[in-house]
Amino acid sequence: MSITMDTTLASLVTNKRRVSALKSLGIVTVGDALTCYPFRVTEPVPLRAIREAAPGQQMAFAAVIRDMRVVPMNARRGYRLEATVDDADFARSCRVPGSTARLTFFSYRKSYVDWVSMRLRAGTSVVVSGMPSEYMGQLQFTHPEILTVAPGSAGAGAGLEGYARGAASGNGAFAGSTDPYASVQSAYPPAAAASSGAALKYDADTVQEALTRVCRPRPVYHASSRISSEHIHETILGLLWMMGARTSSTPDGQLAGAGSAGIVAPTTDTIAVQNGEENSGTTAESGAEALSQSIPDVLPESVRKAKNLMHRAEAFLAIHDPASTTRFKEAIETLRYEEAFVSQTSLLKARSHAHKSAAHSCPLVTDSLRDQFIASLPFSLTAGQQQVIHDIAADLAHDWPMQRLLQGEVGSGKTVVALAAMLQAVDAGYQAVLVAPTQVLAEQHAETIGRMVEQLKPAIPVTLLTGGMKLAARRKALAAASSGEPGIIVATHAAFSKTFQAPHLALVVIDEQHRFGVEQRESLNVKTDDGTTPHLLVMTATPIPRTAAMTWFGDLDISWLTELPGGRKPIRTVVVNEADAATMGRMFAHIRARVDAGERAYIVCPRIDADDEGNEGGSGVSAAAGSARGRAAASGSSARTAAGGRATRAAADAIGIDDPYETFDENGETVARPPLHAVAEIADRLQKLPQFQGIRFATLTGRDKDDVKTQVMADFAGGETPILVSTTVIEVGVDVKQASCIVIFDADRYGLSQLHQLRGRVGRGGTNSWAFLISRAEPGSPAEQRLEVIHHSLDGAEIAQADLEFRGAGDVLGDAQSGGKSSLKLLRVVKDADMIADARTRAGQLLAADPELAGEVQLAGAVLDFTRGNETFLTSS
């Protein structure tokens, strides 16, 4: 059976429970497994004789079981298993006297104790790795790692001098030699015969093999309650073996030859299919060749050699079965550069392709609608708005399509800039469409734009098209668009449907572009009858650091709006510990006072109701993370369960929290955290407080129907229900001028940029405003440090920069990303800026010589996968 990166695990792994557990982490194919990177690698475990043991310091040694007993724990339920080991032969190789130690195991389960008892029979040769301690004057290893060695190993009676050099040097197994185990043979007597011996499986054939396995650096993966890091590692090694790997990657940069540590063949209990040549005669060289054939390189050979990088197959091997921590880091750097090169090649190709397309030229005319509109505004444009409007006007005059990203702070006046651009297109006799992510926002835009253009001459038709419209109104809107009459169309995702036709479409404006994928945006490019490509303006209020924007939006020209219009007052941000009842009470009293003054308040919770917990270990809803530790569904938000596991896709719509800061213990298990607050729960609790007697509350969630959302927002804006308890559905674009307070529960679990977005919902009418961030973060914890950033800053770019730095290496376009499977897992926008710049330069040189990548088939495929996989780029936080 030929195994490729696209082969499904279900066809290879016989353990269906493991297949299901891996699927819950987003690992479905061989490629998913190999790109499931460990978050750390352990240091090599030093070899020491028992007499050299130091309490609290990890060590490994070879020994023989002398006796074993199981003791019921009468005071407590369960059993204690104790085994005495003797390392006389191993100690002799270290030139120290032999000694004994006790191995201790505790368990409530009799089945576990019986299993350990069977493995640790008297006379069995074992290799032990663990951290020693002292108990009642005797050296003890509690729950150490144990590998049993098969009896009758070849060369019995030979010495263990091969270990002596490493042990004596103090560096353990990895001192002084590429292959410290080359001369090691087992010197231990075979285990005593037992009636069940024939059925007993041993972990290693020789002491050499066992010591190699326990002493080598070991990768540690993000695990879950359903699968451990060890089992993830075991599965990945089995897959590598099946693809041809027989030995690990060695420090000299070559796949190891004979005598080096080998990858153990998977058992048929784990892997269903094994290659036909897996006999003992398979050479390391043929295995290396087979692996490189199964995992072809993506980087051009010239780039790889110039940067002194590994082959892709070698890098995967060095990551998942590292010979040293140095080798592991080199492999990570190789694949990090690969990601940088693929991403930059993709962006440069997209930019080049756009400039070759034709577009409608929309030059400015005398007494233009745009100039009329600007003159009618009751306020003066900021310098930033004037500059961006000028740049867009120049772009629209070209006969190739504009592709521009407009990033602006919440409330910086992006809508005015977009409307000026749309009026320029209408003035030239064409149609313009503004696409909003929600019906509430689309209706809001349509009303605002209609009001702004009603005095212009000639009259400008403004058409609203949403999926929630009644059939007659929808047909009328579709007919207006298909007529080709110059005008402005405001639409939701309905603009991407096959029924939407705009034959004279010249400009597409995407609001909050991270809510839409590249493929959706591209679908609007074919809406014209004459084969032209519309100009494209994408807008986002999600703050993106300039380094990130230049990296991920390299196919777009970028404009920033940093000034806020006059009259806006800074929002006062207060972090409140939820356990501080007195402060919580004063906060609610303050909100009541603002409501009595005619203002409004938002209360934001991450969940809809208390039953929205995902199943233990269920499928991830993080966008890339979906990606990969959880490839999610297109709900748009990253969600986790309260226990730290991932929520199911069904729960994705219910949990609006963007929580890229999951914490893990040293074994990669998620750390349990308190349950998230829910809209239904908080609304019920607040209405019972004396501070809110006589005040009507409303609730708003993503589950509500469109007409319900519209009515709820109308009642909230009108003051009938002055307090709105909602999920993060209000995060984007909701504009209620009277809103002056926002309370965000579980603020320590959100991304900083998402908190900044939510905070921007208040203070839009020029009144004093407050944002209260309710936290359960431990004092001095990273979560508390994050909240301090947003507490002291209103600068979106500064907050976004901190957001990226807090997330670290793996989450830039990984778990924190919203809306799709991300191809990137290692690249760090902030720290790898120089690497990205280098990759961009080399990618440009390659494309100049080979624009279609005809000579780089693997790279061309990776570029295509990247384009499809990163539909949302970096605008979700």
Side-chain angles (χ1 to χ4, degrees), residues 110-171:
K110 185 67 165 60
S111 58
Y112 171 77
V113 173
D114 290 342
W115 176 73
V116 176
S117 304
M118 180 181 67
R119 300 178 75 230
L120 303 187
R121 293 171 300 159
T124 302
S125 297
V126 294
V127 166
V128 180
S129 174
M131 193 172 293
S133 61
E134 191 173 320
Y135 179 70
M136 298 183 66
Q138 184 174 2
L139 197 68
Q140 174 173 283
F141 292 82
T142 305
H143 284 275
E145 179 181 0
I146 301 286
L147 293 184
T148 58
V149 180
S153 302
L160 295 176
E161 288 76 11
Y163 294 109
R165 295 189 300 274
S169 70
N171 291 323

Side-chain angles (χ1 to χ4, degrees), residues 557-589:
D557 296 307
I558 305 174
S559 298
W560 278 271
L561 286 179
T562 56
E563 303 171 72
L564 293 181
R568 294 289 296 270
K569 297 181 180 179
I571 302 168
R572 281 169 269 191
T573 305
V574 183
V575 179
V576 181
N577 188 319
E578 189 173 342
D580 185 349
T583 302
M584 293 283 286
R586 289 196 299 272
M587 176 189 72
F588 291 134

Side-chain angles (χ1 to χ4, degrees), residues 713-787:
M713 290 307 300
D715 291 345
F716 178 64
E720 292 184 35
T721 52
I723 297 181
L724 178 63
V725 185
S726 77
T727 59
T728 53
V729 70
I730 62 142
E731 175 186 352
V732 176
V734 173
D735 188 6
V736 177
K737 305 295 185 187
Q738 302 90 338
S740 65
C741 296
I742 184 167
V743 178
I744 305 172
F745 280 91
D746 295 304
D748 52 303
R749 305 277 287 276
Y750 288 80
L752 294 184
S753 295
Q754 191 179 24
L755 288 175
H756 184 61
Q757 279 276 72
L758 289 167
R759 178 171 62 179
R761 297 307 103 206
V762 299
R764 304 173 75 86
T767 60
N768 291 322
S769 54
W770 294 262
F772 298 98
L773 310 181
I774 312 303
S775 168
R776 289 183 280 188
E778 296 291 331
S781 66
E784 185 182 64
Q785 295 169 24
R786 291 195 302 270
L787 291 181

Side-chain angles (χ1 to χ4, degrees), residues 299-308 341 842 846 856:
L299 288 174
E301 185 71 9
S302 58
V303 173
R304 188 169 71 83
K305 288 183 176 178
K307 297 294 294 181
N308 194 28
F341 194 87
R842 294 179 187 274
L846 176 67
E856 300 291 345

Side-chain angles (χ1 to χ4, degrees), residues 33-151:
L34 296 186
T35 56
C36 173
Y37 301 118
F39 69 94
R40 70 180 177 92
V41 64
T42 63
E43 290 296 327
V45 177
L47 289 175
R48 295 194 182 115
I50 292 176
R51 282 189 181 274
E52 300 172 312
Q57 295 184 16
Q58 193 82 7
M59 60 176 284
F61 61 93
V64 175
I65 303 292
R66 291 306 178 206
D67 60 66
M68 183 271 299
R69 64 173 184 156
V70 176
V71 182
M73 295 186 291
N74 296 326
R76 294 181 297 167
R77 199 163 48 87
Y79 305 86
R80 182 176 76 252
L81 184 150
E82 296 178 349
T84 303
V85 293
D86 179 352
D87 75 337
D89 293 306
F90 177 76
R92 190 179 308 117
S93 71
C94 299
R95 299 183 176 88
V96 296
S99 187
T100 61
R102 182 168 54 205
L103 312 181
T104 306
F105 299 85
F106 299 94
S107 180
Y108 292 121
R109 296 184 327 192
K110 185 67 165 60
S111 58
Y112 171 77
V113 173
D114 290 342
W115 176 73
V116 176
S117 304
M118 180 181 67
R119 300 178 75 230
L120 303 187
R121 293 171 300 159
T124 302
S125 297
V126 294
V127 166
V128 180
S129 174
M131 193 172 293
S133 61
E134 191 173 320
Y135 179 70
M136 298 183 66
Q138 184 174 2
L139 197 68
Q140 174 173 283
F141 292 82
T142 305
H143 284 275
E145 179 181 0
I146 301 286
L147 293 184
T148 58
V149 180

Side-chain angles (χ1 to χ4, degrees), residues 396-685:
L396 291 176
H398 294 145
D399 59 1
W400 65 82
M402 170 183 73
Q403 288 195 298
R404 184 172 291 275
L405 168 69
L406 174 58
Q407 180 188 327
E409 284 285 354
V410 175
S412 60
K414 296 185 298 298
T415 303
V416 170
V417 172
L419 182 51
M422 289 189 287
L423 289 173
Q424 184 172 336
V426 173
D427 224 2
Y430 299 110
Q431 295 169 294
V433 60
L434 170 62
V435 186
T438 66
Q439 176 164 328
V440 169
L441 187 53
E443 291 173 344
Q444 188 173 288
H445 276 316
E447 180 183 350
T448 301
I449 291 172
R451 191 168 57 248
M452 285 181 163
V453 303
E454 62 185 358
Q455 302 301 324
L456 301 183
K457 302 297 182 184
I460 307 300
V462 179
T463 304
L464 175 65
L465 175 63
T466 71
M469 298 173 71
K470 292 184 178 179
L471 184 59
R474 182 180 172 85
R475 284 177 174 170
K476 184 177 179 181
L478 289 170
S482 62
S483 71
E485 179 187 2
I488 294 172
I489 303 161
V490 181
T492 58
H493 290 74
F496 304 124
S497 69
K498 293 180 179 179
T499 57
F500 176 73
Q501 297 293 329
H504 294 157
L505 184 61
L507 173 64
V508 175
V509 180
I510 305 286
D511 192 17
E512 291 305 331
Q513 78 95 29
H514 65 287
R515 300 302 178 95
F516 305 100
V518 170
E519 290 177 358
Q520 289 177 313
R521 296 199 321 236
E522 291 293 326
S523 72
L524 289 173
N525 287 346
V526 297
K527 297 298 183 182
T528 55
D529 291 341
D530 52 15
T532 58
T533 299
H535 297 282
L536 176 67
L537 175 65
V538 294
M539 306 191 299
T540 181
T542 301
I544 312 168
R546 286 179 181 258
T547 53
M550 295 301 292
T551 300
W552 304 123
F553 296 99
D555 59 330
L556 306 178
D557 296 307
I558 305 174
S559 298
W560 278 271
L561 286 179
T562 56
E563 303 171 72
L564 293 181
R568 294 289 296 270
K569 297 181 180 179
I571 302 168
R572 281 169 269 191
T573 305
V574 183
V575 179
V576 181
N577 188 319
E578 189 173 342
D580 185 349
T583 302
M584 293 283 286
R586 289 196 299 272
M587 176 189 72
F588 291 134
H590 171 81
I591 293 172
R592 174 59 187 262
R594 303 322 305 164
V595 168
D596 289 343
E599 297 168 11
R600 314 282 184 270
Y602 297 104
I603 312 289
V604 179
C605 305
R607 288 193 296 146
I608 294 177
D609 55 50
D611 296 327
D612 290 325
E613 293 292 350
N615 296 334
E616 184 179 54
S619 356
V621 299
S622 61
S627 117
R629 297 185 321 260
R631 287 219 161 102
S635 68
S637 293
S638 198
R640 268 83 173 176
T641 63
R646 289 169 178 74
T648 62
R649 176 167 182 170
D653 294 328
I655 305 178
I657 196 168
D658 169 15
D659 181 7
Y661 306 114
E662 256 184 332
T663 53
F664 301 88
D665 63 20
E666 62 180 9
N667 294 317
E669 297 280 357
T670 49
V671 175
R673 293 186 286 183
L676 298 169
H677 288 298
V679 167
E681 162 213 351
I682 292 298
D684 182 62
R685 284 170 52 185

